[in-house]
Amino acid sequence: MSKIFHQTFRPLTSFSPDQFIARVSKSLSTSGCSLCVLPPSVFTMPCSAPHNKARCPKYPGSETQRFPVPDDKVDWNTDWPQYRPVGYTAPSVLIKPVWADQDIRSFSPRFNALDGNVDRRSHEGDYRVEQGMPLNPRGRTGLTGRGLLGRWGPNHAADPIVTRWKRDSAGQQVLHPVSKLPVLQFVSIKRRDCGEWAIPGGMVDPGELVSLTLQREFSEEALNSLAASPQDRERIHERITQLFNSPGLEVYKGYVDDPRNNDNSWMETVAVNFHDDTGNSVSELPLQAGDDAGQVHWIDLDSVLSLYASHSQFLEVVAKERHAHW
């Protein structure tokens, strides 16, 4: 299991920096199928909003303190000769695992391009490269190197949002008592690394189609397919393939404000909603947490949810597009 497209879309809604989850000081928490995507209905995180989690004072999983970056100094175009970012790459990355790049001085990556099997293109468009180093497209973070991330430049992830309608004992859709709208449920995992609830996503392997990443990560993290018997694994694969071959709703595609980000490495994702409308597909499979998840449950979509990274914003878009309670 893995450890760790430039296009402008019509925004469904916009978010101010204050709407991003404020808990940036917590520890941080990655049979082929064709991805059928409905017409783009996604929100975009506003480029004018300074990334907040990417400037959390203490870098997650370490004692390293970032160089403080005020809002008015985030933009690379703002002259700031006093900027002295701290350099940090986690020991887990320095031991050169298969999912990580070499030291930047040891090879010559092709940035803003498909570099062999590694996609170093950004969903945000071309990013700046200065003195051989890629620069975070959203600006300064107070830290250089790779931190906990494996790739120089963009680190691509995929987040499958699997939903169903909440139903009563008679099989009827449950309406929220206040909004009177039907309640959606989504599969959520409790991350082992930070204890926060999240969408069961993961990193896109080199050369892997995003559609395959979405299916693989959900199977491994929410259904623990790797530990299943051959018979159960076949049943899981059949149900999952059926769902993930259905039209998916692309919710988001772009930069993620993540506490692991730094000046030279950052997270990007593609979030796609797969909906079990009748409740007779993946809904009938028993949920079982995989190795990256402590727990896994069907959880009601609601605006009071507090989730990892920007996952609450993804779910808000899903609820509005499905005309469900939020």
Side-chain angles (χ1 to χ4, degrees):
M1 184 173 180
S2 301
K3 296 299 177 191
I4 348 199
F5 325 74
H6 177 56
Q7 188 172 353
T8 301
F9 299 106
R10 171 183 61 84
L12 290 177
T13 183
S14 60
F15 301 97
S16 69
D18 291 339
Q19 288 176 294
F20 289 106
I21 304 170
R23 292 170 293 125
V24 296
S25 60
K26 287 189 177 182
S27 295
L28 83 150
S29 7
T30 240
S31 122
C33 68
S34 60
L35 175 62
C36 304
V37 181
L38 295 175
S41 295
V42 303
F43 73 84
T44 56
M45 294 182 186
C47 294
S48 59
H51 43 191
N52 290 338
K53 297 187 185 69
R55 292 181 288 147
C56 58
K58 184 178 177 181
Y59 191 83
S62 76
E63 296 301 318
T64 301
Q65 297 286 330
R66 296 178 188 264
F67 187 88
V69 180
D71 288 357
D72 62 352
K73 295 294 193 298
V74 171
D75 195 323
W76 293 112
N77 293 322
T78 300
D79 187 45
W80 192 20
Q82 295 82 16
Y83 184 50
R84 298 291 184 271
V86 177
Y88 175 72
T89 299
S92 59
V93 177
L94 290 175
I95 60 175
K96 301 179 180 179
V98 294
W99 46 267
D101 286 334
Q102 305 173 46
D103 185 274
I104 196 70
R105 296 165 295 187
S106 304
F107 75 130
S108 300
R110 296 177 59 235
F111 293 117
N112 289 306
L114 188 60
D115 186 16
N117 286 332
V118 178
D119 193 351
R120 301 192 191 277
R121 296 169 296 185
S122 170
H123 298 314
E124 304 283 306
D126 286 352
Y127 47 88
R128 291 164 60 176
V129 179
E130 293 186 357
Q131 298 180 338
M133 301 287 283
L135 294 184
N136 189 312
R138 293 299 174 91
R140 299 181 176 96
T141 67
L143 190 131
T144 60
R146 278 176 291 167
L148 286 162
L149 301 177
R151 302 293 179 193
W152 297 100
N155 288 253
H156 292 291
D159 292 315
I161 306 170
V162 175
T163 57
R164 70 179 184 186
W165 295 113
K166 185 175 184 178
R167 299 180 184 275
D168 59 23
S169 58
Q172 299 301 309
Q173 289 184 6
V174 173
L175 302 183
H176 191 271
V178 176
S179 68
K180 307 302 181 184
L181 293 173
V183 177
L184 270 177
Q185 296 182 313
F186 78 106
V187 175
S188 180
I189 63 167
K190 190 173 185 179
R191 295 177 62 110
R192 290 185 186 276
D193 51 16
C194 66
E196 293 185 283
W197 288 94
I199 297 164
M203 305 307 294
V204 179
D205 287 339
E208 184 177 45
L209 294 174
V210 170
S211 56
L212 181 58
T213 306
L214 290 162
Q215 179 174 338
R216 171 176 58 79
E217 287 294 334
F218 182 79
S219 298
E220 292 177 2
E221 291 200 359
L223 302 174
N224 200 16
S225 61
L226 295 178
S229 66
Q231 182 177 0
D232 287 342
R233 193 176 303 156
E234 182 178 350
R235 183 167 63 99
I236 290 172
H237 176 75
E238 179 181 352
R239 291 291 181 90
I240 290 296
T241 300
Q242 175 186 352
L243 179 66
F244 280 72
N245 274 335
S246 65
L249 173 68
E250 188 177 277
V251 175
Y252 180 74
K253 190 178 190 177
Y255 180 88
V256 177
D257 185 15
D258 191 292
R260 294 170 290 184
N261 293 353
N262 56 76
D263 287 3
N264 310 123
S265 299
W266 59 90
M267 289 294 302
E268 299 192 12
T269 197
V270 176
V272 182
N273 173 220
F274 295 96
H275 182 58
D276 183 3
D277 191 60
T278 61
N280 60 7
S281 178
V282 69
S283 297
E284 297 181 349
L285 293 175
L287 299 179
Q288 183 177 354
D291 61 356
D292 279 356
Q295 300 177 43
V296 57
H297 295 290
W298 287 99
I299 294 180
D300 294 356
L301 264 70
D302 195 286
S303 59
V304 301
L305 288 175
S306 180
L307 301 172
Y308 176 71
S310 302
H311 292 186
S312 291
Q313 283 84 359
F314 299 167
L315 293 173
E316 181 178 5
V317 176
V318 172
K320 290 181 177 179
E321 283 293 297
R322 301 287 180 192
H323 304 291
H325 168 72
W326 180 255

